Every structure is written in C-alpha cells, then in structure tokens.
Amino acid sequence: MNRRHALLALALTLGTAQAARAADANTVYLQTKDGRITIELRPDLAPKHVKQIKTLVSQGFYNGLKFHRVIDGFMAQTGDPKGNGTGGSSLPNIPAEFTQAAQFRRGTVGMARSQDPNSANSQFFICLGDAPFLNGQYTIVGNVTDGLDVLDKIKKAAPGAPGGAVQDPDKIVSMTLAEKAK
C-alpha cells in the first residue's frame, strides 16, 4: 500500500510539474504601480488572439499604456497606444473567436473591439465583476490567476464619466511573458 501511495504521489508531482511548464508559455505578468497581476492566457479558447497578445507583449507594446477606460464593478480596459479607445497596433485585426466554453466573470480577460466582431487588435479588458451579458459576444483570452487585489487598485472613472474615461489613468508599467521573465 505504501508503494502504491508513493507511485501515486510521484505521478501527481510529475503531472503538476508538466502542467506548470506548459502554463509558463501562456503566463503573462502585468506590472502596475501597485503590484503584479498574473494572467493565464487561453489558447484553447482563442489561439489567434493569444498569439497576437504574446507577439505584442514580446515587442514591449503594452509597456506604459494607460488603463483608459475603467468602470467600477465592470472592467478595466487598456492596450490602446492613443489612450482613448480608438487605437491599435500595426498588426492586423483578428477575427472573432467567441466561445460558449467559458464565461465572463471577475478576473476574465477579454479582447475589446468596435461594433465589428472581427475588429479586435491590441486592446483588452479585465473584468472587475461578473459580466454574463458579454458571453458569446466578445473573445475570452485568459484569466487572472493572481493579483485580483492589485486589479482592484486600478484607478476608476468618476461616476458618470463619459464612456468610463479615467482622468490621470494608471498605466501598465510592464507586461512580460513568464518564460522570458526567468
């Protein structure tokens, strides 16, 4: 019986180690002035979107960008070099990768877009609360796995601010891929 338990423990340890190695390639660290938010990207849900985000992170695209739209209880949006919700990267837009396999909940990371479902580019948002009305309408690219307390510290728009625009917004200090951060 002891041998069986030892083998089971070894198998679980090896399985966990393999899962952790696999997760590193899809883990992003988003550093703010208040601390770090860890995001686990979900290529199983949105492979094209995840590839684009990883490319942009590798280029340092997100470093210094503002959280230009932050609505208390809803979401914090960033990823626009113009800082007003109208900009994107030089990469092409990505076709929608909507899913019913996951839902928008607190900590879910989704891609922002215009009215055109195929217009996502570089902007993303992190849900500050559950947002089921977004399910099947926006692409889910990941989930916050650590740092929800840091997420909650991001400066919010004043109540009634047009479009959730933030005066003197917080910024992304840096975004890095975990595999590059080692």
Side-chain angles (χ1 to χ4, degrees), residues 49 68-69 74-75 77-80 84-88 93-99 104 109-126 133-141:
H49 287 76
H68 64 274
R69 183 174 182 229
F74 176 34
M75 61 86 202
Q77 185 172 330
T78 187
D80 176 10
N84 62 12
T86 64
N93 289 347
I94 314 156
E97 295 179 293
F98 301 158
T99 183
F104 282 93
V109 181
M111 289 300 284
R113 62 173 177 79
S114 69
Q115 296 287 49
D116 178 357
N118 299 312
S119 63
N121 186 286
S122 62
Q123 294 187 50
F124 65 91
F125 59 91
I126 306 172
F133 51 91
L134 299 177
N135 294 339
Q137 313 237 357
Y138 286 81
T139 299
I140 294 174
V141 295

Side-chain angles (χ1 to χ4, degrees), residues 24 27-29 36 57 174-182:
D24 282 348
T27 302
V28 173
Y29 299 128
R36 183 168 83 177
V57 168
S174 65
M175 267 180 82
T176 54
L177 294 168
E179 63 187 5
K180 305 286 186 194
K182 290 183 178 182

Side-chain angles (χ1 to χ4, degrees), residues 21-181:
R21 275 195 302 274
D24 282 348
N26 292 306
T27 302
V28 173
Y29 299 128
L30 189 159
Q31 188 68 40
T32 73
K33 68 178 178 43
D34 295 309
R36 183 168 83 177
I37 299 168
T38 304
I39 299 169
E40 189 65 31
L41 298 174
R42 298 283 310 267
D44 59 314
L45 299 177
K48 294 174 187 169
H49 287 76
V50 167
K51 181 180 178 188
Q52 183 125 326
I53 288 173
K54 288 169 81 171
T55 297
L56 292 170
V57 168
S58 294
Q59 294 173 352
F61 176 85
Y62 292 108
N63 299 346
L65 295 187
K66 299 173 184 176
F67 284 94
H68 64 274
R69 183 174 182 229
V70 184
I71 301 171
D72 195 21
F74 176 34
M75 61 86 202
Q77 185 172 330
T78 187
D80 176 10
K82 293 182 178 182
N84 62 12
T86 64
S89 75
S90 61
L91 299 176
N93 289 347
I94 314 156
E97 295 179 293
F98 301 158
T99 183
Q100 298 298 326
Q103 298 179 0
F104 282 93
R105 298 188 179 182
R106 177 170 161 73
T108 299
V109 181
M111 289 300 284
R113 62 173 177 79
S114 69
Q115 296 287 49
D116 178 357
N118 299 312
S119 63
N121 186 286
S122 62
Q123 294 187 50
F124 65 91
F125 59 91
I126 306 172
C127 291
L128 300 172
D130 293 352
F133 51 91
L134 299 177
N135 294 339
Q137 313 237 357
Y138 286 81
T139 299
I140 294 174
V141 295
N143 297 295
V144 172
T145 57
D146 191 39
L148 285 173
D149 58 326
V150 176
L151 176 66
D152 290 337
K153 293 176 184 174
I154 294 172
K155 186 176 180 184
K156 319 277 185 304
V166 181
Q167 293 291 343
D168 191 29
D170 287 339
K171 297 178 181 179
I172 295 173
V173 173
S174 65
M175 267 180 82
T176 54
L177 294 168
E179 63 187 5
K180 305 286 186 194

